[in-house]
Amino acid sequence: MATRLLRTNFIRRPYRFSALIPVGPPTVTASTAVVPDILSFGQQEPEPPLHHPKPNEAHHDIDLSDQARLFSSMPTSVLLRSTAVLHAAAIGPMVDVGSWVMSSKLMDTALTRGMVLGLVKSTFYDHFCAGEDAAAAAERVRSVYEASGLKGMLVYGVEHADDAATCDENMQHFLRTIEAAKSLHTSHFSSVVVKITAICPISLLKRVSDLLRWEYKSQNFKLSWKLRSFPVFSDSSPLYHTNSEPEPLTAEEERELEAAHVRIQEICRKCQESNVPLLVDAEDTILQPAIDYMAYSSAIIFNTDKDRPIVYNTIQAYLRDAGERLHLAVQEAEKECVPMGFKLVRGAYMSSEARLADSLGHKSPIHDTIQSTHACYNDCMTFLMEKASNGSGFGVVLATHNADSGGLASKKASELNIDKKNGKIEFAQLYGMSDALSFGLKRAGFNVSKYMPYGPVETAIPYLLRRAYENRGMMATGANDRQLMRMELKRRLIAGIA
């Protein structure tokens, strides 16, 4: 069973709607510089020639030019491994071979499977993941903070669930994640992360999304089970997924939906009691309406502290309707006096979104160019920072691997006289990626967190393969990171010899 799950997760998870979307690994131009399925931080663009940035070049008070200062907290052994892993992940054929091995029959044989997983654990897993259980992850968060001052975002690295029993099991893992965060000093961590797809069956999320779309299309269509929420659509939102009136939820589906609400509310309640912020991750547009609905309905219940939200929803700036939906949600939150938290990302589903839209005869819901995505991200970022600066209780997590966005945010923070340390605004990057940007932002005085997934090696395989694909075609930030690491290793070697 474990082997079958491992192979199925890798092959099908990124493109799980195989009846609508051709299955295949992401192409270089379609992958993203982030995360996420688990955490999306940056859309990809053609990689320009490498250059060594000058002090404060276009990045305001974020200095990415001095690699000795940037990597001063990183031991040489860790720097060497990080450089090797990131360079290996940037080699296209190596990533393709690794993908093939992880989905091949070699994983059906105990001996070869053990060898492969052992190699993965000692290299890519240790670089990108925080540990195999909550206790190990908490210890990694503690050690990272003590070494570098970077905080941790803890997330149990499960992708999705298909039945109630698995959802219940995953909920327990998320509750243990909160306990692990609670055991840490508050300065060491920033939040925990939950994926709604792990605590509500995928099929039900799709059904709920279909019904929500139809309700938006037809004013006479009412959903008796719907809880109070904020808007999840705008006039520019993609609605082509639902072309005819869906069948209402069956009695069994309504019970499953109620159980999903109980799970997310139990997680929110635990976070509220522990004073631990909860970030809800985003998904494909075929599922996102249901996820937004559940995130906002939970926020209405649990964001009761007027100074600090507990529940944060995620906005994907590569979607054309992102800005409009963000404004509508904020407008409704302010109207109802609900402090709201938002995690702003670029996006991680370019390939699957484009294929699904094309198969249904529609244009992709994603911006046509990377420049449009950058503009949307920066506009949303500015809007959220302004809201967070006026004492309205809004919280903002700027999840980005883009140094220009980091520089613009730093400049905006100065213009708005934002207290960099009050927790209202923070930055985030994936653990094991964009370390130079993380260190640069930290040295500029910001709260900076690393998104740190944990779980058994088998569970982390889909996440690790996506990180490899992202790093292979990552924008200049990733390439410059590797260059800066090489330069620092060379500097240390010369200093050692001298």
Side-chain angles (χ1 to χ4, degrees), residues 119-358:
L119 177 62
V120 169
K121 185 178 187 305
S122 62
T123 53
F124 292 92
Y125 178 90
D126 283 345
H127 181 77
F128 291 112
C129 298
E132 296 202 54
D133 56 35
E139 182 56 38
R140 182 69 64 91
V141 169
R142 185 180 293 107
S143 65
V144 167
Y145 180 83
E146 291 174 351
S148 64
L150 300 177
K151 297 185 176 185
M153 286 180 176
L154 275 177
V155 54
Y156 177 61
V158 65
E159 291 284 310
H160 68 280
D162 297 315
D163 57 68
T166 306
C167 290
D168 288 338
E169 180 181 350
N170 291 337
M171 181 189 70
Q172 293 302 319
H173 282 291
F174 287 120
L175 293 175
R176 283 193 283 273
T177 304
I178 300 166
E179 283 294 329
K182 187 179 175 181
S183 70
L184 294 164
H185 191 281
T186 54
S187 63
H188 290 29
F189 74 94
S190 62
S191 56
V192 297
V193 184
V194 66
K195 288 183 76 69
I196 299 294
T197 51
I199 57 174
C200 181
I202 292 285
S203 58
L204 181 58
L205 288 172
K206 186 176 182 301
R207 288 273 287 129
V208 171
S209 294
D210 281 335
L211 289 161
L212 290 170
R213 283 190 205 95
W214 199 257
E215 181 191 44
Y216 185 79
K217 287 182 176 183
S218 175
Q219 294 182 350
N220 296 324
F221 188 76
K222 303 300 180 183
L223 301 173
S224 60
W225 43 262
K226 188 177 178 182
L227 302 178
R228 284 177 60 215
S229 184
F230 299 147
V232 300
F233 300 109
S234 73
D235 290 342
S236 61
S237 292
L239 304 175
Y240 52 76
H241 313 76
T242 311
N243 293 318
S244 59
E245 181 175 337
E247 292 293 324
L249 294 182
T250 65
E252 178 60 27
E253 286 175 326
E254 287 201 27
R255 285 192 291 271
E256 288 182 359
L257 181 58
E258 175 60 26
H261 278 298
V262 169
R263 293 185 195 103
I264 185 62
Q265 289 175 15
E266 179 62 24
I267 292 169
C268 291
R269 185 174 295 104
K270 184 73 171 178
C271 284
Q272 186 182 55
E273 293 171 352
S274 305
N275 198 26
V276 174
L278 178 70
L279 277 56
V280 178
D281 263 344
E283 285 282 343
D284 318 71
T285 55
I286 201 169
L287 301 175
Q288 194 58 41
I291 294 171
D292 285 342
Y293 158 68
M294 296 183 74
Y296 290 141
S297 63
S298 298
I300 290 172
I301 297 172
F302 293 98
N303 286 1
T304 55
D305 186 337
K306 300 304 180 183
D307 295 322
R308 187 189 187 199
I310 288 294
V311 181
Y312 287 62
N313 196 24
T314 296
I315 299 294
Q316 301 176 93
Y318 74 167
L319 295 174
R320 298 172 188 274
D321 68 337
E324 291 182 2
R325 286 190 297 106
L326 173 61
H327 278 259
L328 289 171
V330 168
Q331 180 180 336
E332 194 66 20
E334 289 181 327
K335 178 181 176 181
E336 298 195 22
C337 299
V338 176
M340 190 65 213
F342 290 96
K343 172 165 66 81
L344 182 62
V345 305
R346 280 177 167 78
Y349 301 96
M350 291 181 65
S351 182
S352 57
E353 293 285 13
R355 280 196 297 269
L356 176 57
D358 184 67

Side-chain angles (χ1 to χ4, degrees), residues 6-18 21-26 36-37 159-160 283-284 286-287 348-353 355 461-463 465-466 469:
L6 173 63
R7 292 175 60 190
T8 300
N9 281 348
F10 165 64
I11 290 294
R12 296 178 183 172
R13 170 60 184 87
Y15 316 108
R16 54 181 163 269
F17 309 107
S18 55
I21 308 170
V23 175
D37 277 358
E159 291 284 310
H160 68 280
E283 285 282 343
D284 318 71
I286 201 169
L287 301 175
Y349 301 96
M350 291 181 65
S351 182
S352 57
E353 293 285 13
R355 280 196 297 269
I461 293 299
Y463 176 82
L465 265 297
R466 275 192 299 284
Y469 275 114

